[in-house]
Amino acid sequence: MSTTPEIPIPRKSETEILAAAITKASSKQTYYTFRWLVDRPLVADAYRAYAYFRWVDDALDGDVGTSVERRAFLERQEDLLEACYAGQAPGDACPEERMLVDLVAHDHAANSGLQVYLRNMMAVMRFDMKRRGRTISRLELAEYTRLLATAVTEVLHYFIGHNCELPCRERRYLAVQGAHVVHMLRDAVEDAQAGYFNVAGEYVEAHNLPLMNLDHPAYRKWVYNRVQLAHLYFDLGEQYLAQVKNLRCRLAGAAYVARFKYVLRLIEQDDYRLRAAYPERKSLRAGLWMAWTTLSTLFAWRKPGMTLPQTAPRVFRLDGQR
């Protein structure tokens, strides 16, 4: 009687287990997006890519350590990235740094989307560290958003539909740029308390704007303008996503955009007054709205000749009326 030999189940590496745990604790939506939509051979690296920079960002944002120590920490991470791509990864990397070492070791293509992500996100970390305690110019703000949007978009295409042909680059990054605009509005109160000011310095100076007075009419006008910019980016970015051939990638993009569109709704309902927290975005109602919006967007994309709905113009009023 013949028996079928057992197929050994590969053991998860230390960095795979650590990365999955960090990702799940930080963002369940990201965790399950990676688990179900990322190309199967790349799931572990997707967790590593997210978790490594979650760890770096938390270390730089923390109150532990001096500014000199934070600078030294980031310089070590930058040196580690360069050493890894030079094939000279050090042997003294901590468990979190090993996530980066393993990522680069698995990246065999020149100028891959993963490498674009790693280098751009490292630049984002440096910019965040340098801007703490000061206002930033419009150009700096735009560059900050560009770096992050490029990183997130390229890594999305790297991990989901890895070998699929992509549309032209003209509008590739706009959806994520819109998400970053919303992200900076959502976190503005918390960021300001930590010394990160998400409003252009020229605007602050022109309106003599108190940085901590987020209820100031001029600040609300800034929020209104940024909300309209996010809507525009989403409208144009979705037109790009509609051309992406990989269904899983389109689904991930639609879900990502829906998540931030819901925050836009809350900001508009508050008449452009920002809050310290938006707990509604984690409610069952929000989840159902995001799911419906995601599926509706996908369905709309599949209808031949159908154009995406344009955002209706919104009028800003200081008396709370729209």
Side-chain angles (χ1 to χ4, degrees):
M1 180 177 178
S2 61
T3 58
T4 303
E6 291 185 3
I7 300 175
I9 300 175
R11 295 182 60 185
K12 293 184 178 181
S13 69
E14 177 186 8
T15 63
E16 182 178 354
I17 296 170
L18 176 62
I22 292 175
T23 303
K24 191 171 186 179
S26 300
S27 171
K28 286 186 172 58
Q29 179 175 353
T30 300
Y31 175 83
Y32 287 110
T33 296
F34 288 173
R35 181 175 177 180
W36 299 115
L37 298 182
V38 165
D39 299 355
R40 301 319 301 165
L42 300 178
V43 171
D45 276 346
Y47 287 139
R48 292 185 183 101
Y50 177 87
Y52 170 73
F53 280 109
R54 180 73 276 154
W55 171 70
V56 173
D57 190 49
D58 288 347
L60 294 175
D61 282 348
D63 295 326
V64 178
T66 64
S67 59
V68 174
E69 290 170 331
R70 287 193 292 270
R71 189 179 304 113
F73 168 79
L74 182 58
E75 288 173 353
R76 173 179 168 84
Q77 304 313 308
E78 292 170 332
D79 291 343
L80 176 61
L81 177 61
E82 296 303 323
C84 287
Y85 272 111
Q88 301 172 353
D92 62 343
C94 69
E96 291 82 2
E97 291 171 334
R98 289 293 310 174
M99 293 188 291
L100 177 62
V101 174
D102 287 351
L103 268 174
V104 176
H106 300 160
D107 186 14
H108 304 298
N111 301 317
S112 69
L114 178 59
Q115 184 172 172
V116 172
Y117 168 79
L118 294 173
R119 294 193 182 281
N120 276 264
M121 283 302 296
M122 201 66 80
V124 167
M125 296 296 110
R126 174 158 287 279
F127 180 81
D128 250 342
M129 185 185 68
K130 290 173 63 177
R131 80 183 181 102
R132 192 171 191 176
R134 69 176 181 89
T135 58
I136 55 177
S137 69
R138 287 184 183 273
L139 286 177
E140 287 178 307
L141 184 58
E143 176 64 6
Y144 182 40
T145 297
R146 186 195 69 80
L147 285 170
L148 189 137
T150 302
V152 172
T153 304
E154 291 299 327
V155 84
L156 174 72
H157 287 308
Y158 178 86
F159 285 126
I160 305 178
H162 186 75
N163 296 316
C164 289
E165 181 182 352
L166 298 177
C168 65
R169 290 176 176 267
E170 183 182 358
R171 296 179 176 178
R172 182 177 298 184
Y173 307 117
L174 290 181
V176 182
Q177 283 182 260
H180 189 235
V181 169
V182 180
H183 186 280
M184 295 188 78
L185 293 176
R186 186 196 71 194
D187 293 350
V189 175
E190 181 182 355
D191 285 351
Q193 292 170 348
Y196 301 102
F197 304 112
N198 300 339
V199 57
E202 297 95 330
Y203 190 87
V204 171
E205 184 176 348
H207 294 84
N208 194 26
L209 182 62
L211 288 172
M212 300 304 295
N213 184 2
L214 275 65
D215 196 45
H216 192 284
Y219 201 106
R220 289 175 57 210
K221 181 66 174 179
W222 165 265
V223 173
Y224 168 82
N225 289 332
R226 299 299 284 179
V227 165
Q228 304 317 307
L229 180 63
H231 278 301
L232 176 62
Y233 282 161
F234 286 149
D235 286 343
L236 296 176
E238 285 177 333
Q239 292 176 26
Y240 164 80
L241 286 170
Q243 302 173 50
V244 174
K245 295 180 179 179
N246 185 277
L247 177 61
R248 286 179 290 114
C249 191
R250 294 204 309 273
L251 177 58
Y256 184 79
V257 169
R259 172 180 168 187
F260 290 96
K261 278 186 173 181
Y262 192 82
V263 177
L264 280 186
R265 285 165 52 90
L266 297 176
I267 293 173
E268 289 168 340
Q269 289 169 10
D270 291 342
D271 295 314
Y272 308 100
R273 291 181 175 90
L274 299 181
R275 293 189 252 143
Y278 294 89
E280 305 98 316
R281 65 191 178 91
K282 297 183 179 181
S283 66
L284 175 61
R285 180 179 181 180
L288 293 173
W289 185 93
M290 288 182 235
W292 173 253
T293 300
T294 299
L295 294 176
S296 298
T297 303
L298 282 177
F299 178 74
W301 287 350
R302 296 182 64 181
K303 284 187 176 180
M306 183 173 183
T307 59
L308 290 168
Q310 298 299 308
T311 303
R314 292 168 172 81
V315 180
F316 178 74
R317 294 284 186 269
L318 293 183
D319 58 6
Q321 299 178 356
R322 286 176 288 171

